[in-house]
């Protein structure tokens, strides 16, 4: 059983910053890729940023230069630093992780958090 819990969402004015955190807990032998996705009302869930175990990153064009994804492998935690926030960043942000849930042989599963609301006012 694996749980991802997001935190750090809230209300911020345009141009402000927020830092999201997501910690994985439970039956974890290791964590491979982690990432953040978001979904605004009436829109599809979209990729925000991903990061591999070796810290290779990928960002959506809409957030490049403004958001930074990072991770602490010892804590099984991923972060999303969001700067220069815009009203169009308003969405529920979801944490995603590919977790090693068994060994011999290794077996990975993908998990999702329940989401945290980010609201950016103009």
């Amino acid at each position: 059983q694996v749980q991802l819990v997001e935190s750090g969402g809230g209300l911020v004015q345009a141009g402000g910053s927020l830092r999201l955190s997501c910690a994985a807990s439970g039956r974890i032998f290791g964590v491979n890729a982690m990432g953040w996705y978001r979904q605004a009302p009436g829109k599809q869930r979209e990729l925000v940023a991903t990061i591999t175990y070796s810290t290779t990153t990928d960002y959506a064009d809409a957030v490049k230069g403004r958001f930074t994804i990072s991770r602490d492998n010892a804590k099984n935690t991923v972060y999303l630093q969001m700067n220069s926030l815009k009203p169009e960043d308003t969405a529920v942000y979801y944490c995603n992780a590919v977790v090693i849930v068994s060994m011999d042989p290794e077996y990975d599963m993908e998990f999702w958090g329940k989401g945290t609301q980010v609201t950016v006012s103009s």
Side-chain angles (χ1 to χ4, degrees), residues 31-112:
V31 180
N32 291 327
M34 304 186 79
W36 290 95
Y37 293 71
R38 67 187 182 187
Q39 188 167 24
K43 297 183 179 180
Q44 286 186 229
R45 185 175 298 186
E46 64 179 4
L47 170 73
V48 177
T50 59
I51 183 168
T52 67
Y53 183 86
S54 59
T55 69
T56 298
T57 59
D58 184 54
Y59 295 92
D61 288 342
V63 307
K64 286 180 179 177
R66 299 188 297 119
F67 292 8
T68 302
I69 189 170
S70 61
R71 64 190 290 166
D72 184 335
N73 291 329
K75 297 180 178 180
N76 294 326
T77 299
V78 63
Y79 306 94
L80 185 68
Q81 178 66 46
M82 304 184 293
N83 298 327
S84 302
L85 283 162
K86 304 175 180 180
E88 50 262 45
D89 295 318
T90 296
V92 176
Y93 283 69
Y94 296 92
C95 177
N96 171 269
V98 178
V99 179
I100 302 171
V101 297
S102 66
M103 305 293 290
D104 195 29
E106 181 178 311
Y107 181 65
D108 296 348
M109 293 184 67
E110 188 176 56
F111 294 90
W112 292 89

